[in-house]
Amino acid sequence: MSPDSAAVVIGVLAVQGDVREHVAALESAGAQARPVRRPGELDGLGGLVIPGGESTTIDRLSRIFGLHEPIRALIADGFPVYGSCAGMIQLAEEILDGHREQQTFGGIDMTVRRNAFGRQVDSFEADLRLDAVSAPDRPVRAVFIRAPWVERVGPDVEILAAVEGHPVAVRQGNLLATSFHPEVTGDHRVHELFVRICSSARA
Ligand code: GLN
């Protein structure tokens, strides 16, 4: 295969969270996927997924493993990253209700509130219309688990879906973030969208 037709290789940050589910979803969406635990494993990737889990833990372990600075540098360089739930929090320039020492990778000009829906109900599911995915007339089943919502977006952020007026899926350039967990439903259209973003970024 020529380099252009070869599947794009996407890493899944594997310090904590739903790593296996994202690897499987990315492979169903036509990418090659592999876990990333050390800085050297970022080499040669066409994109990175930051899974859900606990953003404070993902932050702390990423710094301990020396991944924080390299990931920030990649983001500043236009590298595609998709963050789900805790991963969305880690892509926000600003967070509310974070841990005192919590840092994010940043990249998306937005303010995200942690556990925002959780103040009303811990976890819930909703059918969302996402025009950015294939067959948008078929709703995306979104699973929210102690999910954040977006409280502010900058002018370059595109809102892809909202729940009760709160954005829950956003995109800024090659950065994509959802409050919900598409890796647990068997519907891989959000991962397909991210694979398309990675393939166009490579081209
Ligand atoms: N509440 C978690 C956090 O703040 C996110 C939950 C999730 O990723 N499912 O990091």
Side-chain angles (χ1 to χ4, degrees), residues 78-135:
F79 182 71
V81 182
Y82 164 47
S84 159
C85 202
M88 168 189 256
I89 295 167
Q90 289 310 102
L91 285 177
E93 285 291 338
E94 192 185 10
I95 54 176
L96 300 172
D97 295 340
H99 187 270
R100 205 160 19 94
E101 275 151 25
Q102 185 169 0
Q103 296 176 25
T104 67
F105 300 120
I108 301 185
D109 181 11
M110 64 178 173
T111 305
V112 160
R113 186 178 294 280
R114 287 183 67 215
N115 303 322
F117 290 105
R119 286 177 299 183
Q120 294 143 36
V121 51
D122 226 29
S123 302
F124 65 99
E125 297 185 14
D127 283 327
L128 298 182
R129 184 183 172 90
L130 265 165
D131 282 322
V133 302
S134 61

Side-chain angles (χ1 to χ4, degrees), residues 52-55 85-86 89 114-115 145-146 181:
E54 189 52 50
S55 58
C85 202
I89 295 167
R114 287 183 67 215
N115 303 322
I145 306 166
R146 290 185 301 287
H181 288 261

